[in-house]
Amino acid sequence: MSRGEGKLKLMVVDDEPDNLDLLYRTFRRDFKVYKADNAFNALSVLDEQGEMALIISDQRMPEMNGTEFLGQTLERFPDTVRILLTGYTDVEDLVEAINSGKVFKYITKPWNPEELKAVVQQASETYKVVKQRTNALTRALRRESLLNEVMSAIRESLDYSSMLSTIVQTLGRTFEATGGRLWPVEGDRLMPTSFSFPVSASQGDEAAPELQEKEEQKEQTEADDFPVAQELVLKALESRVIQIDKGSRSDPNLKLVLPLVYQKDLLAVLALYQNNEANNPWSDEDIQLIEGVSEQAALALSQAKLYQRTRELAQQMRNELEVARQIQSNLLRQSWPELENVRVQACCYPAREVGGDFFEVYVHAQGDIWLALGDVSGKGVPAALFMASAMSVLRRELSLENPPVPYEVMQNLNTSLSDDLISNNCFITMVLARYTPKTGQLAYANAGHIYPLVWSETAVAAASNGGSGAEIEPNFLKERGIPVGILPMWRGKAGSIELNSGDVFLLTSDGITEATVVQENPDGGEPIRSMLQQEGLWEILVEQKGSLNLDDLLARIRADNPSQEDDQTILSLEVL
């Protein structure tokens, strides 16, 4: 510090005793004056007394002149104002003094006392302004440094509970508190769990059940010994304003209770205290800094709380989606009765936990086999809800004693669902088919879905053995109408085909035909990724060896698609 007993410190340096005494007498009333009769003694005084507000030095001194002396003080005490006394009038000498020693003024000997007093007064005012600005800058830099240090430590903890502990630990350690405690707040009420500084043995990992009661008793005892009165904590809780207790003779602890508030939301209450034996007792500036850091801590705590809430909601959503996935999986029939002379296969892989694709295999009491495969527009939960509704209506229609033909079932399905689908900008594409084993007749209705595919496995196998399998053309059933939910009345065409032994009827969703496949580049460059489409699916079917296996077919398609972008569903009926 440069002040002593309310006066600025001034040092006079001159090797002439008379001049030294005169300077001392001139300024002793207004300054705390230190004397030195040469530059080396002056440096010793600075080592003992620290920074001087002003130094008045003679230029011409033995061993070390004034310019050299002032130059040596520059690095250690940059804020000190320097005045040079010289009997020389050489310009170069004065320029060197000003440049090397950062001299504020030079005064020639013999000096005019009034002129010297005016210069010193001006120098002292300059020092005060410089020191004020320097202190302000130092405080700002310290504040920024502490804020960065504290916030870096706090933001390393994303977990809410961990951050609560980190806040009280970091602030207590950074500001050299004797102790501290932080209580989370929910609904303007203090939570029973608190976090202490220094950390107690019970904080951290959860104690074993048999030790928990002892730890709780220990925490209660520590809480009773905590020097910050509960009334002060409750006052901060209610007023949301910092509470300061500077202590008394019986209780010399300085206590701070700070509410951590962000956007009018009270998140926690922090209490810190410092005893009278602290090495660096808190100043008013320190208290303001603690308050500023606590505001930033409240922001970080709010973000951690939001992060925890988001994680909890995400986990809750995952749990609910898992339940929905299981329900949807149960809706899709995993097994059906053993069918004579007919083999049915089905697979469904949602792109998310739940999806809008669905299939149905329904064996009617009269012996007819009903097959349906549909795709609700969109993905996720909304599509899954419409999918469940569609299956419910479909099963109601098919369970009738004499179900209507596929065309009429499609009309009834549209009548039941169109209002909800239209109001939510959704629709359903699907194919519904009825196979009658007695006649081999397959009747179907297509509501804007991908064309069903029919082929003879016997013919493909024969052609493949003869080396001309690729020449067989697939039979796409192209009778099709509009999707369900586009218009109040469904419009389309009914179709039918006779299936013989060895014939296969295949239905797929667009997640299959729009999947990406990798093909060799004819130019030898990077492999080409393109959409499979129905033609590409047919090529894979022709290349398959043996009887149709949907699991193997999907495995080959999915191998080129590490990330599934759409629900994938496939259903087949094979006449044996």
Side-chain angles (χ1 to χ4, degrees), residues 186-206:
E186 293 289 344
D188 290 339
R189 297 183 62 185
L190 294 177
M191 294 292 97
T193 304
S194 63
F195 300 83
S196 302
F197 169 79
V199 64
S200 65
S202 60
Q203 283 184 219
D205 296 337
E206 293 185 2

Side-chain angles (χ1 to χ4, degrees), residues 516-559:
T516 302
V517 291
V518 179
Q519 298 176 334
E520 292 185 3
N521 192 327
D523 299 329
E526 291 290 330
I528 300 174
R529 300 183 67 86
S530 59
M531 192 177 295
L532 179 63
Q533 299 184 341
Q534 285 192 291
E535 290 76 10
L537 175 62
W538 171 245
E539 292 178 5
I540 295 177
L541 290 168
V542 170
E543 293 172 0
Q544 264 198 328
K545 303 297 183 181
S547 61
L548 176 66
N549 187 307
L550 294 190
D551 289 329
D552 293 344
L553 177 64
L554 273 178
R556 179 171 178 181
I557 295 172
R558 291 163 64 87

